[in-house]
Structure formats: structure tokens, C-alpha cells
Amino acid sequence: ALAALGDQVEGATIDVEPRALEGRVSILGHGANPTMFTADIWPQNGYVYLGTHQANQIRTYNVSDPANPVLTDSVEVDARVINSVKVSEDGKWLAATREGAANRRNGIVFFSLADPAHPKLVSEYTETVTSGVHNVFWVGNLVYATNDGTGDMHIIDFSDPANPKEIGRWGIPVVGKTLHDIWAQDGVLWMSYMM
């Protein structure tokens, strides 16, 4: 494998071994979305939250019976694409990204999951990410967000749900970069850049 950043190139050898996994995947149930495309999915506490593409909706399904998913809510959002929906670690909040808003104020919309079947809008954050956010990830009260316009990662403090605010940002010094995805695990933040 090779990685390049500017004029620096590093390589590493990776050994790939087959995993000792057996079995088949079987479909337990199906929640149809016949009039729209699903852009993202996040399961949490017996519910599944869907972001949509060209449909302006966040859809909520009760999947406590996986064989019979039940649509419990469709929340309209000013966005052509809701690429990312993520639930906070404590299961109380939902963050959804916005791209293609009619008012050109993209960013992130935040919902309370006090009633997990019916997300309720609490606030939005657009100040430094109006060009759009493609993906987010929660760590405690922090939301790490990808900025479509700059290709940087923004850190949004959500400790006051009514007033989220940016407390930091980071990006690689490469012109034309795109930060596509982001994930945090075991104290490490993983970022997927396209250059």
C-alpha cells in the first residue's frame, strides 16, 4: 500500500489472510422507500434513522420486530441530500447533515430523541459550514464534521443543544482535497480524504 501527501510518499506491506467466517446473510425484513433513495442509515435502540437523497426527509423506522419494520415518522428538512445521520453515544440526540438547502444555509440539523419514534428539531449549526456537510461523527458532546467547501474537519461543541458552536478545525494542507468520511474509535479519529 502507498500513501502520498504532496511530494512525500510512504509505503507499507500488508498481509491479508482469509477470515474463518462461515454462514450466509439472510434478510429478516424490509422497510420500503419506493419514492426515494436512502443515503445513510443509523440503528439505535430498536429504531433505524435514514438520511435520504433528493427527498428532503429523515425517516424513522421502528425495527423492534426486524421482520416487520414500521415507519413512525418522516421529518422534512431543507436539503436535497441528507448524507449522514448519526445518533449520539448516549442515544439522546440525532445529527443530520445538510447539502443543497434551498436557502443555501447547509450544515447540520440536530434533533432530540426524547421520543425515539419522532425526532424533534432542537437546533442547527450553519455558521462555518454553509457549503455543506457530508458526514458527521459523535464523541461525547462533540460532533466531528466534514466541510464540503474547505475539505477540513470541524469540531462542533454540542454541550448546549440549543446553541451548538465550533470549537476547532483541522485539515491537511493540500489544494483540492475532499474530506469524504469520518469515524472515531478508541481515541483515534479516522478521516477519508480524496485528492
Side-chain angles (χ1 to χ4, degrees):
L2 290 175
L5 178 61
D7 61 351
Q8 297 181 32
V9 178
E10 289 291 329
T13 301
I14 300 171
D15 293 323
V16 178
E17 298 177 8
R19 296 189 292 174
L21 297 177
E22 294 183 21
R24 300 181 67 78
V25 173
S26 60
I27 297 174
L28 296 177
H30 181 251
N33 276 324
T35 61
M36 64 193 68
F37 297 107
T38 300
D40 196 19
I41 183 169
W42 192 266
Q44 187 84 23
N45 300 327
Y47 290 88
V48 170
Y49 302 95
L50 304 179
T52 58
H53 194 276
Q54 304 296 332
N56 300 356
Q57 293 181 17
I58 297 168
R59 296 174 65 85
T60 303
Y61 283 87
N62 180 326
V63 292
S64 55
D65 175 5
N68 298 296
V70 176
L71 180 67
T72 61
D73 211 338
S74 291
V75 178
E76 295 230 356
V77 176
D78 180 13
R80 284 197 311 265
V81 180
I82 301 158
N83 263 320
S84 183
V85 289
K86 299 288 188 306
V87 175
S88 60
E89 294 171 316
D90 61 11
K92 294 179 179 180
W93 309 101
L94 172 72
T97 63
R98 251 192 338 208
E99 294 176 310
N103 67 3
R104 303 185 70 79
R105 301 287 294 169
N106 295 295
I108 309 167
V109 286
F110 293 99
F111 297 86
S112 167
L113 295 179
D115 177 356
H118 303 283
K120 183 165 179 65
L121 182 65
V122 172
S123 60
E124 61 182 54
Y125 180 77
T126 61
E127 188 176 337
T128 61
V129 289
T130 56
S131 58
V133 174
H134 191 74
N135 213 322
V136 293
F137 202 89
W138 289 90
V139 176
N141 285 327
L142 300 179
V143 176
Y144 294 87
T146 65
N147 185 322
D148 290 348
T150 65
D152 289 342
M153 178 272 301
H154 293 242
I155 305 167
I156 311 303
D157 182 352
F158 191 72
S159 55
D160 177 2
N163 299 294
K165 63 181 178 187
E166 181 176 300
I167 59 169
R169 70 171 69 176
W170 183 88
I172 59 175
V174 174
V175 176
K177 67 187 181 255
T178 300
L179 180 53
H180 179 73
D181 203 355
I182 193 165
W183 191 272
Q185 185 173 346
D186 300 328
V188 177
L189 187 64
W190 302 86
M191 293 182 282
S192 170
Y193 271 103
M194 297 185 295
M195 295 179 266

